[in-house]
Amino acid sequence: DVREAIAYGINRDSIVQDVYHGNARATDLPFVPPFPGSEHPAKYPMSGDPERARRLLKKAGFSNGFEVSCITSSKQELRDELVVIAAQLEEIGIRLKIQNLDMASFRAATTKQGELAGGALRYELALEDISLSGPDSDPCVYWFLHGQAKTYSRYSNVEMDKALDAGRSSTDIEKRKDYYNKVGDLIHRDNPMIYTVFPRLAFCQNSQLAGFRPTRTEFNISFDSIH
């Protein structure tokens, strides 16, 4: 109920305008169109539903709300987004204590790499973005929601694991849509991670630069043909 209350309490349309100046798309699922699963209908109003969020908190035993800390990295847009989210959640009774970390500290606190280095994954809430390692639905979700992937949510669910495993092993597009729609159903049911927006990446280049082409993996740029 608490995670669902947070999902209802966030005004995603406001984040699009106030943080990304319109250069983003509001969402409550991680599937980027036109990947399988992106046709799944939204559950949460993009402008939020504070009244329903307050009812859910009351149902969970938090009529007077509560205080919780949330960490984020050194990325300025995420720090700005967290300020907006904190103001929105305060309206429903959740008081966020913002902790801005440098990137190394954030990674050590939230990822398997930090755990392997001897650290403990200690945080209450975390806000971070996801960069896709390939043009498909699988990297949107597998490493964040599968029970064997020790990052971010610490979520483990047999139903989710089966859907994720089936999605990455099938080559039938219609079956993959079914598998990732199942993933969407489970995300809406359990809220292991709460999604807000898809930012639109903008590339600026000098007019004298030739040969630049954005790649299908958003963070890879090949300089072989650029001159």
Side-chain angles (χ1 to χ4, degrees):
D1 288 338
V2 172
R3 292 194 297 271
E4 190 173 23
I6 293 173
Y8 273 113
I10 294 176
N11 184 332
R12 295 163 175 81
D13 286 337
S14 174
I15 293 171
V16 169
Q17 296 303 321
D18 297 336
V19 178
Y20 296 97
H21 308 289
N23 294 309
R25 172 177 173 173
T27 184
D28 65 356
L29 287 171
F31 303 117
V32 182
F35 297 165
S38 61
E39 71 281 358
H40 192 291
K43 173 182 177 180
Y44 301 104
M46 295 299 110
S47 59
D49 189 340
E51 183 56 39
R52 186 164 186 173
R54 283 188 283 267
R55 291 199 302 268
L56 286 165
L57 283 181
K58 184 177 180 180
K59 179 183 175 183
F62 295 101
S63 298
N64 297 320
F66 60 91
E67 186 173 84
V68 63
S69 64
C70 185
I71 64 174
T72 194
S73 70
S74 56
K75 297 177 182 179
Q76 189 58 52
E77 67 273 17
L78 294 180
R79 293 186 174 191
D80 294 343
E81 182 174 339
L82 189 52
V83 169
V84 172
I85 289 174
Q88 294 173 355
L89 295 186
E90 188 171 7
E91 293 183 13
I92 67 172
I94 299 177
R95 299 172 296 281
L96 281 189
K97 294 191 299 180
I98 295 175
Q99 297 179 356
N100 293 323
L101 305 178
D102 61 77
M103 186 60 73
S105 298
F106 183 87
R107 292 296 182 215
T110 58
T111 66
K112 186 176 182 181
Q113 284 76 12
E115 189 175 51
L116 292 175
L121 304 188
R122 290 191 293 264
Y123 60 95
E124 293 182 290
L125 298 176
L127 175 67
E128 182 59 311
D129 56 359
I130 296 173
S131 294
L132 300 187
S133 58
D136 185 65
S137 296
D138 178 81
C140 299
V141 286
Y142 191 93
W143 297 112
F144 307 97
L145 298 177
H146 197 282
Q148 294 183 351
K150 296 182 179 180
T151 60
Y152 298 101
S153 66
R154 312 295 284 166
Y155 176 71
S156 182
N157 180 284
V158 174
E159 290 179 272
M160 180 68 80
D161 290 354
K162 288 181 178 179
L164 291 172
D165 288 336
R168 71 163 24 188
S169 61
S170 175
T171 57
D172 186 311
I173 186 62
E174 294 304 320
K175 288 183 178 179
R176 297 191 80 226
K177 287 181 180 180
D178 291 340
Y179 296 140
Y180 287 114
N181 274 300
K182 175 64 174 179
V183 171
D185 290 340
L186 293 170
I187 289 173
H188 281 161
R189 186 192 73 184
D190 298 340
N191 293 292
M193 299 182 76
I194 296 170
Y195 303 90
T196 57
V197 299
F198 293 130
R200 296 191 180 98
L201 297 184
F203 294 94
C204 300
Q205 66 183 75
N206 188 294
S207 60
Q208 295 179 324
L209 186 67
F212 171 74
R213 295 290 185 274
T215 62
R216 298 184 70 180
T217 49
E218 62 191 50
F219 53 82
N220 289 332
I221 297 177
S222 172
F223 288 91
D224 294 346
S225 60
I226 298 176
H227 60 280

